[in-house]
Amino acid sequence: VQLVESGGGLVQAGGSLRVSCAASGSIFSFNAMGWYRQAPGKQRELVATITSGGSTNYADSVKGRFTISRDNAKNTVYLQMNSLKPEDTAVYYCNAETRLGGYWGQGTQVTVSS
């Protein structure tokens, strides 16, 4: 399984950004997919997950601002980020949990300027 993130960039506080994660396999068969982030000097943390059944889970810090979604036909998972804050600045990583184990993408940088 290969995961390729895209869509990161620089945005002003209060702005929006959408990051995408394209998988090489059929995400319909994956147990769950998610987005994690890691800021400089901090541990990687969960942002949002979505199961094969469509159930979602969000970190408290992003609830109401971020939305995770999936397009099974395109084997792609999205993270729509609204009302971005400087503290959202991090490298965002895509994760897939499958029957064969967990996989990670290489990450995409999101920078929010104040």
Side-chain angles (χ1 to χ4, degrees):
V1 176
Q2 289 185 324
L3 304 173
V4 179
E5 301 99 334
S6 62
L10 174 64
V11 64
Q12 288 189 329
S16 298
L17 207 59
R18 188 178 78 162
V19 290
S20 303
C21 173
S24 60
S26 172
I27 67 172
F28 182 78
S29 65
F30 295 173
N31 296 330
M33 295 192 72
W35 287 96
Y36 292 71
R37 67 186 181 187
Q38 188 167 17
K42 295 188 176 181
Q43 290 188 333
R44 190 172 298 189
E45 64 177 4
L46 179 146
V47 177
T49 61
I50 185 166
T51 68
S52 58
S55 297
T56 58
N57 181 54
Y58 296 92
D60 288 342
S61 59
V62 307
K63 281 181 181 177
R65 300 188 298 122
F66 291 11
T67 302
I68 188 171
S69 62
R70 58 194 292 162
D71 186 333
N72 291 338
K74 295 182 178 180
N75 293 324
T76 301
V77 173
Y78 305 96
L79 184 68
Q80 177 66 43
M81 303 181 287
N82 300 327
S83 302
L84 282 160
K85 305 175 181 179
E87 51 264 43
D88 294 318
T89 295
V91 178
Y92 284 69
Y93 295 92
C94 180
N95 170 264
E97 294 298 324
T98 77
R99 290 175 294 177
L100 299 178
Y103 297 87
W104 292 92
Q106 298 217 345
T108 184
Q109 176 71 46
V110 172
T111 303
V112 184
S113 64
S114 58

